[in-house]
Amino acid sequence: MGAEVSKQVERRKAIDTQKKSLCDLKEKNGCNFPGYDYHVQDRKNWMSTLAPEKLHVNQIVWPGTHDSATDEIGIPFISRPFAQCQSLSIYQQLVTGVRVLDIRVQEDRHVCHGILLCYHVDVVINDVKKFLSETHSEIIILEIRTEFGHDDPPDFDKYLEAELGEFLIHQDDNVFNKTIAELLPKRIICVWKPGKSPKPSQGSPLWSSCYLKDNWIDTDLPEKKFESNMKYLSEQPPVTSRKFFYRVENTVTPQADNPVLWVKPVTERIHPYARLFIMECISRGYGDRLQIFSSDFINEDFVDACIGLTNARIEGQL
């Protein structure tokens, strides 16, 4: 018992030390990256605001959400805090400016996070279609994967093509160098990541897993995640020569051996340092590599930071 208490005391010290390190770095270097003070008036239509004919796919810093469809997961106040990573619905996220969605499904097509269930994936699809019907030039990256430990939903690729076919941008390496205007009226890059089912092929309406990459680090230590994200990002080619999307997640994860198991208080350890991460990317020479930037419990400031850096790229400030 004493050893376990001592272990938790040391863990708490490590967390506090790492939070202080990030806080000190923020105070020392600030967060005034190119575009930091840019605020778009209409987040719902921010790609339209930045001019689709000028905005290239590989210039965009795509604001994304981690475990996007968990706003109603589990049982409120009982199991929900252990798995909820977002408080906004899919539609609300898109209106706020999110353009990359991370959806996990199980065999019966319900959204899930581990063993906990949320609504049917139809809810996600309907929210996406509602948003697209209300906008004209916004492009979405919709990643749907079979959750780890679950079986693939039968014929799910056919389901996605039937529901979203008119909006789907087909798998094509040339997409990365195109402008938003050149992709329209198609609106969705849909990445389907099955467990065992056949993967989408070249030219398919759906995109395979090799087109959306990341390096997930399972830790609840904020500085460790911050620096690991930076290290893996530094190893990627610049966005202008990349033929895949690369995602960085500004999140940390509850650990089973730690008494704090609710997602929100744990992820708040790194949440305030999103702008600092962008600043450090640029100051360390990796500003041309940041592409998809995702968060738990997305807010407008996170979205504004991504849009501001995107605008700076368009204006040649980087």
Side-chain angles (χ1 to χ4, degrees), residues 180-198:
I180 296 302
E182 290 174 315
L183 298 180
L184 298 175
K186 304 298 185 180
R187 309 278 298 281
I188 302 174
I189 295 171
C190 185
V191 181
W192 165 227
K193 297 183 175 182
K196 297 179 181 178
S197 302

Side-chain angles (χ1 to χ4, degrees), residues 3-30:
E4 182 61 29
V5 170
S6 178
K7 176 184 175 182
Q8 294 305 328
V9 168
E10 291 303 312
R11 185 60 163 253
R12 174 48 59 184
K13 287 181 180 178
I15 291 168
D16 290 343
T17 298
Q18 293 203 11
K19 287 169 64 177
K20 185 177 186 304
S21 293
L22 292 177
C23 185
D24 290 346
L25 186 63
K26 185 176 181 179
E27 184 174 342
K28 176 184 176 183
N29 293 347

Side-chain angles (χ1 to χ4, degrees), residues 125-230:
I125 300 300
N126 289 336
D127 272 9
V128 168
K129 290 197 284 190
K130 178 183 178 183
F131 173 77
L132 293 179
S133 73
E134 296 172 355
T135 57
H136 301 287
S137 303
E138 306 302 302
I139 304 295
I140 299 169
I141 299 175
L142 174 62
E143 177 199 33
I144 305 186
R145 72 178 89 173
T146 301
E147 177 69 312
F148 180 77
H150 292 273
D151 292 330
D152 297 326
D155 297 321
F156 198 67
D157 53 347
K158 295 177 182 177
Y159 162 81
L160 291 173
E161 291 178 30
E163 290 292 327
L164 300 173
E166 63 179 300
F167 302 110
L168 293 176
I169 299 166
H170 286 218
Q171 186 180 146
D172 179 4
D173 287 358
N174 293 317
V175 163
F176 296 94
N177 293 320
K178 291 185 176 182
T179 64
I180 296 302
E182 290 174 315
L183 298 180
L184 298 175
K186 304 298 185 180
R187 309 278 298 281
I188 302 174
I189 295 171
C190 185
V191 181
W192 165 227
K193 297 183 175 182
K196 297 179 181 178
S197 302
K199 299 176 181 178
S201 58
Q202 188 67 29
S204 164
L206 306 177
W207 294 60
S208 63
S209 60
C210 66
Y211 283 101
L212 204 171
K213 302 179 182 181
D214 54 29
N215 292 97
W216 184 64
I217 304 101
D218 185 15
T219 181
D220 63 353
L221 298 173
E223 187 183 24
K224 179 179 179 180
K225 183 62 176 287
F226 188 98
E227 293 298 337
S228 293
N229 280 342
M230 193 70 68

Side-chain angles (χ1 to χ4, degrees), residues 4 59 61 123 158-159 209 216 268 285 290 294:
E4 182 61 29
Q59 289 179 307
V61 181
V123 174
K158 295 177 182 177
Y159 162 81
S209 60
W216 184 64
E268 281 294 332
L290 188 60
S294 293

Side-chain angles (χ1 to χ4, degrees), residues 94-317:
L94 292 169
V95 169
T96 302
V98 169
R99 294 296 177 266
V100 182
L101 299 171
D102 161 24
I103 311 297
R104 291 89 178 291
V105 294
Q106 62 176 28
E107 188 175 10
D108 65 0
R109 297 185 181 173
H110 275 79
V111 175
C112 61
H113 186 178
I115 62 171
L116 296 180
L117 299 183
C118 199
Y119 34 68
H120 195 277
V121 75
D122 282 349
V123 174
V124 174
I125 300 300
N126 289 336
D127 272 9
V128 168
K129 290 197 284 190
K130 178 183 178 183
F131 173 77
L132 293 179
S133 73
E134 296 172 355
T135 57
H136 301 287
S137 303
E138 306 302 302
I139 304 295
I140 299 169
I141 299 175
L142 174 62
E143 177 199 33
I144 305 186
R145 72 178 89 173
T146 301
E147 177 69 312
F148 180 77
H150 292 273
D151 292 330
D152 297 326
D155 297 321
F156 198 67
D157 53 347
K158 295 177 182 177
Y159 162 81
L160 291 173
E161 291 178 30
E163 290 292 327
L164 300 173
E166 63 179 300
F167 302 110
L168 293 176
I169 299 166
H170 286 218
Q171 186 180 146
D172 179 4
D173 287 358
N174 293 317
V175 163
F176 296 94
N177 293 320
K178 291 185 176 182
T179 64
I180 296 302
E182 290 174 315
L183 298 180
L184 298 175
K186 304 298 185 180
R187 309 278 298 281
I188 302 174
I189 295 171
C190 185
V191 181
W192 165 227
K193 297 183 175 182
K196 297 179 181 178
S197 302
K199 299 176 181 178
S201 58
Q202 188 67 29
S204 164
L206 306 177
W207 294 60
S208 63
S209 60
C210 66
Y211 283 101
L212 204 171
K213 302 179 182 181
D214 54 29
N215 292 97
W216 184 64
I217 304 101
D218 185 15
T219 181
D220 63 353
L221 298 173
E223 187 183 24
K224 179 179 179 180
K225 183 62 176 287
F226 188 98
E227 293 298 337
S228 293
N229 280 342
M230 193 70 68
K231 173 184 177 293
Y232 285 118
L233 183 64
S234 74
E235 296 168 355
Q236 307 306 315
V239 292
T240 52
S241 61
R242 192 186 299 162
K243 298 300 181 183
F244 60 88
F245 294 101
Y246 185 78
R247 173 172 51 205
V248 173
E249 293 184 331
N250 190 60
T251 64
V252 285
T253 310
Q255 300 298 300
D257 64 349
N258 193 282
V260 183
L261 295 175
W262 288 10
V263 174
K264 192 159 191 177
V266 172
T267 204
E268 281 294 332
R269 297 169 188 169
I270 197 170
H271 203 269
Y273 302 108
R275 285 179 174 267
L276 175 65
F277 186 83
I278 294 175
M279 182 65 190
E280 288 299 301
C281 281
I282 295 169
S283 65
R284 301 185 196 187
Y286 314 136
D288 60 347
R289 303 175 198 194
L290 188 60
Q291 191 170 41
I292 297 176
F293 198 28
S294 293
S295 177
D296 288 329
F297 299 100
I298 195 75
N299 59 30
E300 292 176 348
D301 185 71
F302 186 96
V303 170
D304 284 352
C306 295
I307 298 173
L309 186 58
T310 300
N311 187 63
R313 285 178 172 174
I314 297 173
E315 298 298 327
Q317 298 174 21

